DNA sequence: CTGGATCCCGGATGATACTG
DNA sequence: CAGTATCATCCGGGATCCAG
């Protein structure tokens, strides 16, 4: 299996899917859903910095694309659980790996930035 | 190694790194750089739909973060090659996998969207 | 060929208030 | 608890022109 992308239309047709899983909150949200269903209120707390509105919007989009399911339990107070679909699980794990990488290389990136900015400043 | 994220500050500290590799053009650009250096003009053609400005901005960011290197060959006309750093290679491969997934599940997502919108319309 | 600089618009996102 | 509605804002990103 080749890793490098082929030319042309493969990409343009993929843009909309990429825009979904690649947007600001979907990455973190999907990663959070690994390991089982999560309640809305749980995600609200664990997806750092997400606003109520954006969490809702993000979950709707993921649901629309068939990557998560939404289950309402009509108790009082109501309870809603979100869960990855089988198809959604693959990119979620991928994304979690990416986040793990980001965590591990935080220092490297910070140092690289500092160096870049310093050298740019000297000029 | 656990896949699910831990609580709290891991995420907020990772946001800026995620915003980089997760933004609209970095994904495609990094994936394109797998397999060896690429010229600016090559990337311009192969990263579908990217504008001159955004390609430059994206490459600068990736360079600043130490994920790609920029090599100028002062010929006439000038030639500039971009290449993944060893550290940049890991997320690039990860990202390429994600793009492959997006390509493979384009149809699934499209169908899911159609169904979602149809059911929403009925109400 | 590989950019840098500027202008500018629209959509993404946050804040806030309200509801079943 | 789990949203929806509205308003204000901000900045991503395209278009264009210029330059080494």
């Amino acid at each position: 299996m080749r890793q490098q992308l082929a030319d042309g239309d493969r990409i343009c047709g993929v843009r909309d899917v990429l825009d979904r899983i690649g947007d600001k909150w979907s990455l973190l949200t999907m990663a959070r859903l690994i390991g089982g269903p999560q309640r809305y209120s749980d995600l609200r707390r664990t997806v750092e910095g997400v606003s109520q509105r954006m969490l809702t919007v993000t979950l709707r989009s993921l649901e629309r694309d068939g990557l998560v399911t939404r289950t309402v339990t009509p108790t009082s107070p109501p309870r809603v659980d979100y869960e990855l679909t089988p198809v959604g699980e693959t990119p979620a794990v991928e994304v979690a790996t990416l986040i793990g990488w980001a965590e591990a290389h935080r220092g490297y990136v910070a140092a690289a930035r500092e160096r870049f900015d310093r050298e740019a400043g000297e000029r």
Side-chain angles (χ1 to χ4, degrees), chain A:
Chain A
M1 192 218 302
R2 88 191 138 181
Q3 287 285 12
Q4 194 166 12
L5 270 48
D7 287 322
D9 63 351
R10 284 192 61 198
I11 290 187
C12 71
V14 152
R15 264 260 64 102
D16 53 335
V17 181
L18 263 198
D19 285 343
R20 171 65 13 77
I21 63 182
D23 83 54
K24 185 171 182 181
W25 296 113
S26 295
L27 281 286
L28 286 174
T29 303
M30 293 186 72
R32 278 298 184 185
L33 288 172
I34 295 177
Q38 299 276 324
R39 298 188 55 167
Y40 181 86
S41 51
D42 290 333
L43 292 170
R44 192 81 204 305
R45 278 182 292 96
T46 56
V47 178
E48 284 272 319
V50 73
S51 67
Q52 185 181 48
R53 172 187 151 77
M54 285 319 294
L55 180 55
T56 301
V57 170
T58 299
L59 288 169
R60 282 288 172 285
S61 294
L62 292 173
E63 185 193 4
R64 183 167 105 102
D65 289 358
L67 302 181
V68 308
T69 57
R70 178 171 180 273
T71 310
V72 182
T73 311
T75 56
S76 180
R79 171 200 179 106
V80 181
D81 286 278
Y82 291 91
E83 184 173 15
L84 289 170
T85 65
V87 170
E89 209 127 342
T90 306
V93 170
E94 220 60 62
V95 156
T97 306
L98 218 41
I99 292 177
W101 177 91
E103 154 69 14
H105 293 79
R106 206 155 40 142
Y108 171 87
V109 170
R113 279 183 195 176
E114 201 172 334
R115 199 161 74 94
F116 185 91
D117 293 343
R118 178 160 31 79
E119 289 175 0
E122 285 169 3
R123 235 163 302 125

